[in-house]
PDB file of all heavy atoms in Angstrom:
ATOM      1  N   THR A  27     -57.504 -14.126  93.564  1.00  0.00           N
ATOM      2  CA  THR A  27     -58.413 -14.138  92.430  1.00  0.00           C
ATOM      3  C   THR A  27     -57.654 -13.728  91.184  1.00  0.00           C
ATOM      4  O   THR A  27     -56.544 -13.218  91.254  1.00  0.00           O
ATOM      5  CB  THR A  27     -59.587 -13.169  92.671  1.00  0.00           C
ATOM      6  OG1 THR A  27     -59.065 -11.891  92.963  1.00  0.00           O
ATOM      7  CG2 THR A  27     -60.462 -13.644  93.822  1.00  0.00           C
ATOM      8  N   ALA A  35     -48.180  -3.491  85.316  1.00  0.00           N
ATOM      9  CA  ALA A  35     -48.958  -2.675  84.367  1.00  0.00           C
ATOM     10  C   ALA A  35     -50.345  -3.268  84.151  1.00  0.00           C
ATOM     11  O   ALA A  35     -51.336  -2.523  84.091  1.00  0.00           O
ATOM     12  CB  ALA A  35     -48.218  -2.556  83.040  1.00  0.00           C
ATOM     13  N   GLN A  67     -43.840   4.850  93.895  1.00  0.00           N
ATOM     14  CA  GLN A  67     -44.745   5.464  92.914  1.00  0.00           C
ATOM     15  C   GLN A  67     -45.963   6.066  93.616  1.00  0.00           C
ATOM     16  O   GLN A  67     -46.608   5.423  94.437  1.00  0.00           O
ATOM     17  CB  GLN A  67     -45.172   4.444  91.868  1.00  0.00           C
ATOM     18  CG  GLN A  67     -44.044   4.046  90.956  1.00  0.00           C
ATOM     19  CD  GLN A  67     -44.511   3.208  89.783  1.00  0.00           C
ATOM     20  OE1 GLN A  67     -45.703   2.983  89.598  1.00  0.00           O
ATOM     21  NE2 GLN A  67     -43.566   2.754  88.988  1.00  0.00           N
ATOM     22  N   ALA A  75     -55.835   5.467  97.931  1.00  0.00           N
ATOM     23  CA  ALA A  75     -56.468   6.374  98.892  1.00  0.00           C
ATOM     24  C   ALA A  75     -57.874   6.749  98.432  1.00  0.00           C
ATOM     25  O   ALA A  75     -58.806   6.794  99.246  1.00  0.00           O
ATOM     26  CB  ALA A  75     -55.617   7.624  99.070  1.00  0.00           C
ATOM     27  N   ARG A  83     -63.484   3.830 104.063  1.00  0.00           N
ATOM     28  CA  ARG A  83     -62.387   3.328 104.902  1.00  0.00           C
ATOM     29  C   ARG A  83     -61.451   4.517 105.131  1.00  0.00           C
ATOM     30  O   ARG A  83     -60.344   4.579 104.611  1.00  0.00           O
ATOM     31  CB  ARG A  83     -61.718   2.159 104.205  1.00  0.00           C
ATOM     32  CG  ARG A  83     -62.698   0.991 104.021  1.00  0.00           C
ATOM     33  CD  ARG A  83     -62.237  -0.016 103.028  1.00  0.00           C
ATOM     34  NE  ARG A  83     -61.248  -0.915 103.617  1.00  0.00           N
ATOM     35  CZ  ARG A  83     -60.606  -1.834 102.923  1.00  0.00           C
ATOM     36  NH1 ARG A  83     -60.836  -1.987 101.633  1.00  0.00           N
ATOM     37  NH2 ARG A  83     -59.724  -2.605 103.508  1.00  0.00           N
ATOM     38  N   LEU A  84     -61.959   5.467 105.901  1.00  0.00           N
ATOM     39  CA  LEU A  84     -61.337   6.787 106.001  1.00  0.00           C
ATOM     40  C   LEU A  84     -59.992   6.782 106.722  1.00  0.00           C
ATOM     41  O   LEU A  84     -59.101   7.553 106.364  1.00  0.00           O
ATOM     42  CB  LEU A  84     -62.299   7.760 106.672  1.00  0.00           C
ATOM     43  CG  LEU A  84     -63.637   7.940 105.939  1.00  0.00           C
ATOM     44  CD1 LEU A  84     -64.554   8.864 106.722  1.00  0.00           C
ATOM     45  CD2 LEU A  84     -63.422   8.440 104.529  1.00  0.00           C
ATOM     46  N   ALA A  89     -54.173   7.524 105.982  1.00  0.00           N
ATOM     47  CA  ALA A  89     -52.791   7.033 106.063  1.00  0.00           C
ATOM     48  C   ALA A  89     -52.114   7.063 104.695  1.00  0.00           C
ATOM     49  O   ALA A  89     -50.957   7.489 104.566  1.00  0.00           O
ATOM     50  CB  ALA A  89     -52.775   5.616 106.637  1.00  0.00           C
ATOM     51  N   GLU A 101     -48.393  17.657  95.855  1.00  0.00           N
ATOM     52  CA  GLU A 101     -49.495  16.943  95.186  1.00  0.00           C
ATOM     53  C   GLU A 101     -50.804  17.540  95.702  1.00  0.00           C
ATOM     54  O   GLU A 101     -51.307  17.163  96.754  1.00  0.00           O
ATOM     55  CB  GLU A 101     -49.388  15.442  95.477  1.00  0.00           C
ATOM     56  CG  GLU A 101     -50.554  14.606  95.013  1.00  0.00           C
ATOM     57  CD  GLU A 101     -50.927  14.810  93.562  1.00  0.00           C
ATOM     58  OE1 GLU A 101     -50.105  14.506  92.685  1.00  0.00           O
ATOM     59  OE2 GLU A 101     -52.060  15.274  93.317  1.00  0.00           O
ATOM     60  N   MET A 107     -57.811  15.939  99.065  1.00  0.00           N
ATOM     61  CA  MET A 107     -58.441  14.706  99.556  1.00  0.00           C
ATOM     62  C   MET A 107     -58.202  14.499 101.045  1.00  0.00           C
ATOM     63  O   MET A 107     -59.091  14.030 101.757  1.00  0.00           O
ATOM     64  CB  MET A 107     -57.920  13.496  98.785  1.00  0.00           C
ATOM     65  CG  MET A 107     -58.640  13.270  97.490  1.00  0.00           C
ATOM     66  SD  MET A 107     -58.368  11.591  96.903  1.00  0.00           S
ATOM     67  CE  MET A 107     -59.134  10.654  98.197  1.00  0.00           C
ATOM     68  N   HIS A 124     -55.218  22.022 105.345  1.00  0.00           N
ATOM     69  CA  HIS A 124     -54.981  21.239 104.124  1.00  0.00           C
ATOM     70  C   HIS A 124     -55.848  21.757 102.979  1.00  0.00           C
ATOM     71  O   HIS A 124     -55.391  21.864 101.839  1.00  0.00           O
ATOM     72  CB  HIS A 124     -55.261  19.754 104.374  1.00  0.00           C
ATOM     73  CG  HIS A 124     -54.327  19.139 105.352  1.00  0.00           C
ATOM     74  ND1 HIS A 124     -53.010  18.862 105.056  1.00  0.00           N
ATOM     75  CD2 HIS A 124     -54.508  18.765 106.642  1.00  0.00           C
ATOM     76  CE1 HIS A 124     -52.430  18.335 106.111  1.00  0.00           C
ATOM     77  NE2 HIS A 124     -53.311  18.266 107.089  1.00  0.00           N
ATOM     78  N   GLU A 136     -60.204  31.482  96.836  1.00  0.00           N
ATOM     79  CA  GLU A 136     -61.456  31.716  97.545  1.00  0.00           C
ATOM     80  C   GLU A 136     -61.907  30.399  98.164  1.00  0.00           C
ATOM     81  O   GLU A 136     -62.422  29.523  97.485  1.00  0.00           O
ATOM     82  CB  GLU A 136     -62.530  32.225  96.578  1.00  0.00           C
ATOM     83  CG  GLU A 136     -63.865  32.506  97.241  1.00  0.00           C
ATOM     84  CD  GLU A 136     -63.794  33.600  98.293  1.00  0.00           C
ATOM     85  OE1 GLU A 136     -62.998  34.525  98.140  1.00  0.00           O
ATOM     86  OE2 GLU A 136     -64.545  33.527  99.272  1.00  0.00           O
TER      87      GLU A 136
END
Side-chain angles (χ1 to χ4, degrees):
T27 55
Q67 290 189 4
R83 297 164 80 185
L84 301 177
E101 172 52 63
M107 276 198 64
H124 295 287
E136 181 62 33

